[in-house]
Amino acid sequence: CDRGPWENYPDRNTGSMVSVYSSTAQEMGSSHYIVPGEFGNRTDCRYCSFRNSTGEGVCVAMEESDSAAGNSHWKNTKLNFSAGLHTQEELNRARHTIDLEDRVDGEHAIHVNIDYKMMGVGGDCSWKPCVYPDFLINGNQEFKYSVMLVPFSRGEDTAQILNELRISHDARHCTHN
C-alpha cells in the first residue's frame, strides 16, 4: 500500500494516489533512465510485500519510536521503498543502461531498499538545484524505528496479517493516556 503506480519522492508525490499496487522488480527497474542510479522509490507505504512464483513471500512494515512518550510508545509509520534487479554498486558503476546486464524477474535476486526517510529530489528551479527545507533530512537528527519482516504463505492476506500483528504489538508496547 503506497503512492503509485509510478515512482515518486517526498517532494514529488502529489500526483501519485495512495492505493494497493502490484508490480515486478523488472517493471520498477532503472531502464527508464539513460544514466542508471537510484530509482523507483515509492512513498507513504504502510507496508510492501514480495512474493515468489509460488505465492510465498515476506511483508515489510515499519514502526517509529515516539520520543515524546519517552521511547515507550511505538507508532506505525510510513516507509519508502524501491526494488530492482541490480545492486547499488552495479548501478553506480554503470555509465549507461547498456552497461547493465539484462535480468529477468524470477531468475535473479531482487535488491530492495527500505528507507525510513528519503530526501526530496528538488530540481523544480532550472537555474539552481534546490530541495526545499521541508524535504531535507537533518544528518544530526537521531531516528529510532524498527522494521518488521513478516513471512507469509500462499493465499494469506498480508494486510490482515499486519493488522493482527500491530494489534498485539501495540498491546505490548503502547501506553494509553
Side-chain angles (χ1 to χ4, degrees):
C1 179
D2 60 34
R3 288 189 180 269
W6 40 78
E7 76 177 346
N8 57 87
Y9 294 85
D11 58 347
R12 299 280 183 272
N13 67 6
T14 56
S16 301
M17 299 300 109
V18 174
S19 187
V20 177
Y21 296 98
S22 180
S23 184
T24 67
Q26 192 170 13
E27 290 169 351
M28 292 178 74
S30 63
S31 61
H32 309 300
Y33 301 102
I34 299 297
V35 179
E38 191 168 314
F39 63 89
N41 189 67
R42 303 301 197 267
T43 61
D44 293 339
C45 293
R46 282 126 183 101
Y47 66 90
C48 59
S49 57
F50 302 91
R51 294 180 189 273
N52 64 17
S53 59
T54 66
E56 298 170 319
V58 65
C59 189
V60 180
M62 188 175 289
E63 293 181 319
E64 69 178 314
S65 172
D66 184 354
S67 58
N71 293 331
S72 63
H73 179 82
W74 288 84
K75 61 181 181 177
N76 297 334
T77 191
K78 298 172 187 169
L79 59 94
N80 291 271
F81 89 96
S82 62
L85 298 175
H86 295 91
T87 66
Q88 288 296 322
E89 183 179 300
E90 290 170 325
L91 293 170
N92 291 336
R93 197 174 41 234
R95 293 183 148 180
H96 302 286
T97 52
I98 61 169
D99 297 333
L100 295 171
E101 171 190 335
D102 286 336
R103 297 199 176 152
V104 178
D105 286 312
E107 295 178 18
H108 296 89
I110 297 174
H111 302 275
V112 178
N113 295 309
I114 304 294
D115 294 297
Y116 173 65
K117 297 279 185 189
M118 174 74 70
M119 187 173 93
V121 295
D124 61 334
C125 302
S126 61
W127 55 91
K128 68 175 187 172
C130 64
V131 175
Y132 293 101
D134 289 350
F135 302 107
L136 291 172
I137 298 174
N138 179 350
N140 296 322
Q141 185 177 356
E142 183 177 322
F143 299 102
K144 293 186 179 198
Y145 59 93
S146 63
V147 176
M148 293 189 296
L149 302 175
V150 183
F152 60 87
S153 301
R154 180 181 178 167
E156 286 188 291
D157 179 357
T158 54
Q160 181 179 349
I161 292 169
L162 282 175
N163 282 335
E164 291 170 5
L165 280 173
R166 285 193 170 138
I167 289 168
S168 65
H169 187 74
D170 288 346
R172 289 194 314 265
H173 294 286
C174 289
T175 56
H176 301 283
N177 297 327

